[in-house]
Amino acid sequence: MFNFTSFITSQSAWVKALSIIIGTFILEDVATVLTAIATQAHEISIILGLVSLYIGIAVGDVGLYGLGWAGAKWPRVKRFLTLPSQKQTQKWFDKNVIKIVGISRFVPGARLPLYTACGFYHAPFWLFTATAVFATLIWTSFLFYLSLHIGGWLLAHKSGWRWAGLAGFVLCIFVIGRLIAHFQKVSR
C-alpha cells in the first residue's frame, strides 16, 4: 500500500520546494496551509517552506501581470473586452497601483482580475512587483503562522480524527475564499 507520509519524507529538499511552488499556482492559500502543517510535522523546514511559498506566490503574481500585459498586445483578445478609456484607466492604475495590489492580496478572488488589469493597463511593473512581494510576505506569513499553530494543535491530538480535523481546516480556508469571491460577484 502507498504511504504518502513516507513518500514526502523521503523526497529531497528541492523536490519538496518545487512541489510547494507548483502548489501555489493551483491554490496558494491551501498550499500555504499544507506547507505549515508539513512544517509542524517536521516534513520540511520552516525556512524552506516559507521561501518556497514566497517564490511561488510572487512568480504567480508577476505571471498574472504578464498575462494582462500580453492581452493588451493582442488585438483579437482586446476586441472582446469592454473597457473604459484606456488613457483614463491607465492613469488611474498608474496612480493607484500600490492600493490595488495591496488590497487585492487580502481579498479572495480579487487578484486575478486586478493583477491582469494592472498588466493590461501597463501599471508600473517594478512598483507592482515590489508591492505584490511585500503584500505576499505579510499575508503568507500571517496565514502560515496561523496554520502552523492550528495544524500543530490538530497534529498533537494522537487520535485518528486529527487528519479529519486537518482536512476540515484546509477545506474551511478554501471554502471561505470561494464564498467571499462569490459574494463579491453577486454584489457587483
Side-chain angles (χ1 to χ4, degrees):
M1 178 173 218
F2 180 73
N3 186 338
F4 184 73
T5 305
S6 64
F7 172 76
I8 294 297
T9 305
S10 68
Q11 297 305 309
S12 65
W14 72 269
V15 171
K16 292 176 184 180
L18 186 60
S19 299
I20 293 168
I21 291 168
I22 292 169
T24 64
F25 297 152
I26 300 167
L27 289 170
E28 66 187 39
D29 289 345
V30 172
T32 302
V33 171
L34 292 176
T35 301
I37 292 169
T39 299
Q40 191 63 265
H42 305 292
E43 303 296 330
I44 190 169
S45 73
I46 285 180
I47 299 296
L48 182 62
L50 278 172
V51 168
S52 300
L53 287 167
Y54 296 151
I55 289 170
I57 293 170
V59 167
D61 290 350
V62 171
L64 291 175
Y65 180 98
L67 183 64
W69 181 85
K73 299 292 180 190
W74 294 331
R76 290 183 184 193
V77 174
K78 188 176 178 179
R79 70 178 179 191
F80 291 106
L81 302 174
T82 304
L83 301 168
S85 156
Q86 182 154 354
K87 186 175 180 181
Q88 178 185 7
T89 306
Q90 187 169 349
K91 284 181 184 179
W92 185 83
F93 271 92
D94 287 349
K95 183 178 173 185
N96 296 296
V97 69
I98 292 174
K99 291 177 190 171
I100 294 166
V101 174
I103 292 169
S104 298
R105 170 54 50 200
F106 303 98
V107 178
R111 284 187 302 271
L112 175 64
L114 290 175
Y115 285 14
T116 54
C118 283
F120 188 87
Y121 288 111
H122 305 288
F125 176 75
W126 292 112
L127 189 56
F128 168 86
T129 302
T131 306
V133 167
F134 182 71
T136 295
L137 290 173
I138 293 170
W139 172 248
T140 302
S141 297
F142 169 74
L143 184 57
F144 185 87
Y145 178 79
L146 178 69
S147 302
L148 192 64
H149 288 286
I150 292 173
W153 181 81
L154 289 169
L155 286 173
H157 293 80
K158 301 296 182 192
S159 71
W161 289 100
R162 70 181 176 178
W163 295 110
L166 290 171
F169 178 60
V170 170
L171 185 63
C172 181
I173 295 293
F174 176 76
V175 169
I176 288 171
R178 296 298 154 228
L179 282 173
I180 291 170
H182 173 73
F183 288 133
Q184 286 173 341
K185 289 178 187 175
V186 170
S187 67
R188 289 182 191 156

